[in-house]
């Protein structure tokens, strides 16, 4: 697998100063956590699920969640489990399917984990792990224990991705205690917790809210404050933190707008892609692009996606710019180990070695999996190349 692997080698050479790296489901956890990118959710009830996985792989998807929880009706669970096992078996038997994306199953209760792993049989080799809903210390620990047992029984490395979405985490009077409990649970199983996912739709539900396509999660203050506290307590860069992924974007077409589009015209004029700008605005992608940018500014990596059209914008904005790469390399030079301040190679900012070190390390990890764009390449060119692949 590699990001932008669905475009031609010639296109990658034109776009990237350093091309995205190759990784597999067996790569180190730190690499996989950074490489998740746009994690596409799909109901496990889809009758052609194996075909869907192959199709989305060809479009650049590198991580998927097959959902047995909120995306399906309670009455569909048994049939969805049977379909999931059948589709995994089908996919595993295809000799020309290539390596699928990182595949995770979102379960409802802990007992599903060992049961599904046992039922998958040899096809479990395609499974990367499980997504655990409404995670708190009390409810989440049994999920992690079940994962550990299933891993031991199958001999397959399996990762957990807890979803932080419970009301206790959102309510001010219980938030700190809940986050402390979540930390205790995931810290105990640190080697198997790939990322923490934010369930912002459930956050909004606790207050009968739904953000409009003109708004990002960060415009809904009760949600923004919860995201800030999750990053504060669980996303620290001191070695105790975890990768925290961005919330889902719910929209893929807008009939009427209240506010002006949020995409500046000039980057698209320079790239001769004004038609692309119009399409992005029509499909509410300007709001998505703004939210991705705010995710990154607030310490989040990757994003939950419920529509294939959201994948490429997440990946295009995850590519490291040549300027970021230059700054990160300068900050991390061995001779800078003692600290100090230097002017950036682009002569437009100060790089302070010690305070910016953690940022530089994270940037180079992102560069490892998403690549580094050429100096004259921006997200418009990356979007255009991916859409025409």
């Amino acid at each position: 697998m590699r990001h932008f692997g669905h475009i031609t080698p010639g296109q990658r050479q034109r776009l990237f100063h350093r091309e995205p790296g190759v990784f597999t489901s067996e790569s180190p956890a730190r690499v996989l956590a950074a490489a998740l990118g746009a994690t596409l959710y799909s109901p496990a009830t889809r009758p052609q699920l194996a075909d869907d996985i192959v199709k989305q792989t060809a479009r650049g998807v590198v991580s998927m969640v097959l959902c047995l929880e909120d995306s399906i009706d309670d009455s569909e669970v048994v049939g969805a489990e049977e379909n999931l096992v059948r589709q995994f078996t089908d996919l595993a038997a295809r000799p020309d399917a290539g390596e699928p994306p990182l595949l995770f199953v979102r379960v409802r209760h802990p007992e599903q984990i060992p049961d599904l792993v046992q039922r998958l049989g040899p096809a479990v080799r395609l499974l990367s792990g499980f997504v655990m809903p409404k995670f708190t210390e009390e409810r989440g620990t049994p999920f992690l224990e079940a994962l550990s047992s299933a891993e031991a029984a199958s001999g397959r490395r399996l990762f957990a991705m807890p979803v932080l979405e419970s009301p206790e985490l959102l309510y001010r009077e219980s938030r700190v205690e809940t986050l402390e409990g979540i930390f205790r649970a995931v810290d105990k199983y640190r080697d198997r917790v790939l990322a923490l996912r934010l369930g912002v739709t459930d956050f909004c539900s606790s207050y009968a809210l739904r953000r409009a396509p003109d708004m990002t999660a960060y415009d809904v203050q009760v949600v923004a404050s919860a995201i800030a506290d999750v990053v504060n307590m669980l996303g620290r860069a001191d070695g105790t933190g975890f990768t925290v992924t961005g919330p889902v974007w719910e929209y893929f077409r807008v009939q009427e707008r209240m506010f002006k589009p949020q995409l500046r015209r000039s980057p698209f004029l320079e790239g001769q892609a004004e038609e692309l700008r119009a399409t992005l605005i029509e499909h509410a992608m300007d709001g998505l692009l703004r939210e991705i940018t705010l995710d990154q500014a607030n310490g989040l990596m990757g994003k939950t996606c419920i529509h294939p059209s959201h994948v490429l914008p997440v990946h295009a904005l995850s590519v490291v710019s040549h300027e970021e790469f230059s700054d990160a390399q300068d900050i991390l030079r061995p001779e800078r180990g003692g600290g100090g301040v230097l002017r950036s190679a682009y002569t437009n900012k100060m790089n302070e070695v010690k305070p910016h070190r953690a940022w530089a390390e994270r940037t180079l990890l992102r560069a490892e999996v998403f690549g580094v764009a050429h100096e004259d390449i921006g997200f418009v060119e990356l979007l255009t190349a991916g859409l025409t692949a």
Side-chain angles (χ1 to χ4, degrees):
M1 285 176 281
R2 74 189 310 175
H3 286 290
F4 294 90
H6 65 301
I7 69 176
T8 67
Q11 285 178 304
R12 284 200 301 273
Q13 190 173 21
R14 179 179 63 83
L15 294 169
F16 289 97
H17 169 74
R18 175 178 289 186
E19 292 190 21
V22 175
F23 57 94
T24 73
S25 61
E26 303 300 325
S27 293
R30 59 179 285 278
V31 172
L32 295 182
L36 286 168
T39 300
L40 183 63
Y41 273 56
S42 176
T45 51
R46 291 181 66 88
Q48 305 299 324
L49 189 57
D51 291 336
D52 293 341
I53 292 169
V54 172
K55 180 170 67 175
Q56 296 307 327
T57 303
R59 294 178 176 177
V61 172
V62 303
S63 64
M64 291 185 69
V65 172
L66 314 175
C67 185
L68 294 168
E69 205 227 359
D70 284 349
S71 69
I72 66 173
D73 189 87
D74 295 347
S75 64
E76 297 178 298
V77 175
V78 172
E81 290 179 345
E82 293 172 352
N83 185 60
L84 190 71
V85 173
R86 186 166 56 250
Q87 299 294 333
F88 262 78
T89 302
D90 175 4
L91 190 61
R94 299 187 183 193
D96 57 347
E99 185 170 14
L102 302 171
L103 297 177
F104 301 85
V105 175
R106 177 166 167 150
V107 290
R108 293 181 170 221
H109 51 78
E111 293 76 18
Q112 285 178 297
I113 293 176
D115 179 59
L116 285 170
V117 168
Q118 189 273 328
R119 290 163 66 183
L120 284 171
V124 76
R125 65 181 177 81
L126 302 181
L127 181 66
S128 290
F130 290 90
V131 175
M132 302 167 177
K134 299 171 180 60
F135 194 95
T136 62
E137 182 179 26
E138 181 180 0
R139 289 195 296 268
T141 298
F143 280 100
L144 293 170
E145 291 171 345
L147 178 84
S148 181
S149 297
E151 183 180 63
S154 67
R156 168 72 178 169
R157 181 180 70 165
L158 297 171
F159 287 110
M161 290 203 292
V163 185
L164 311 186
E165 56 187 348
S166 65
E168 302 98 308
L169 193 155
L170 192 62
Y171 299 154
R172 180 180 293 274
E173 68 271 19
S174 55
R175 183 179 301 171
V176 171
E177 181 181 356
T178 301
L179 285 169
E180 288 175 341
I182 290 170
F183 178 80
R184 285 191 296 268
V186 295
D187 187 51
K188 183 178 178 181
Y189 292 87
R190 176 173 293 274
D191 291 345
R192 287 297 170 262
V193 176
L194 192 63
L196 306 176
R197 311 201 71 88
L198 287 165
V200 164
T201 301
D202 280 54
F203 283 172
C204 289
S205 173
S206 297
Y207 289 89
L209 301 174
R210 185 173 191 177
R211 69 189 190 278
D214 300 299
M215 302 287 178
T216 71
Y218 303 93
D219 294 311
V220 183
Q221 289 302 299
V222 68
V223 170
S225 70
I227 294 175
D229 285 343
V230 167
V231 174
N232 190 322
M233 296 184 67
L234 300 174
R236 298 178 184 179
D238 60 359
T240 67
F242 297 83
T243 295
V244 182
T245 65
V248 69
W249 181 256
E250 298 178 359
Y251 296 94
F252 35 90
R253 193 173 183 89
V254 178
Q255 301 301 325
E256 184 178 355
R257 307 183 66 91
M258 180 179 295
F259 300 109
K260 289 183 179 180
Q262 301 177 73
L263 280 180
R264 288 173 50 242
R265 189 180 300 271
S266 55
F268 293 86
L269 291 175
E270 293 166 8
Q272 297 183 333
E274 196 163 8
E275 185 177 339
L276 172 61
R277 178 179 181 271
T279 301
L280 292 171
I281 292 170
E282 179 185 0
H283 291 268
M285 296 296 185
D286 55 327
L288 170 62
L289 292 169
R290 176 166 172 74
E291 186 165 280
I292 296 166
T293 302
L294 289 170
D295 287 341
Q296 294 173 350
N298 284 277
L300 309 183
M301 293 180 69
K303 198 166 186 67
T304 294
C305 294
I306 46 81
H307 196 273
S309 64
H310 298 169
V311 171
L312 186 58
V314 174
H315 292 170
L317 285 175
S318 297
V319 173
V320 174
S321 71
H322 187 272
E323 181 174 348
E324 290 175 311
F325 184 64
S326 173
D327 288 340
Q329 281 194 312
D330 284 349
I331 289 165
L332 294 177
R333 292 188 190 282
E335 62 270 24
R336 302 288 181 188
V341 178
L342 60 150
R343 184 176 64 171
S344 74
Y346 276 69
T347 69
N348 61 358
K349 71 177 75 66
M350 171 195 75
N351 287 330
E352 193 167 354
V353 173
K354 289 184 178 179
H356 290 146
R357 178 172 293 277
W359 168 86
E361 290 171 346
R362 176 177 289 189
T363 298
L364 291 190
L365 177 59
R366 185 160 53 95
E368 186 178 336
V369 292
F370 285 100
V372 179
H374 276 306
E375 191 170 354
D376 59 344
I377 296 295
F379 79 94
V380 173
E381 290 84 1
L382 293 162
L383 275 174
T384 303
L387 288 170
T388 56

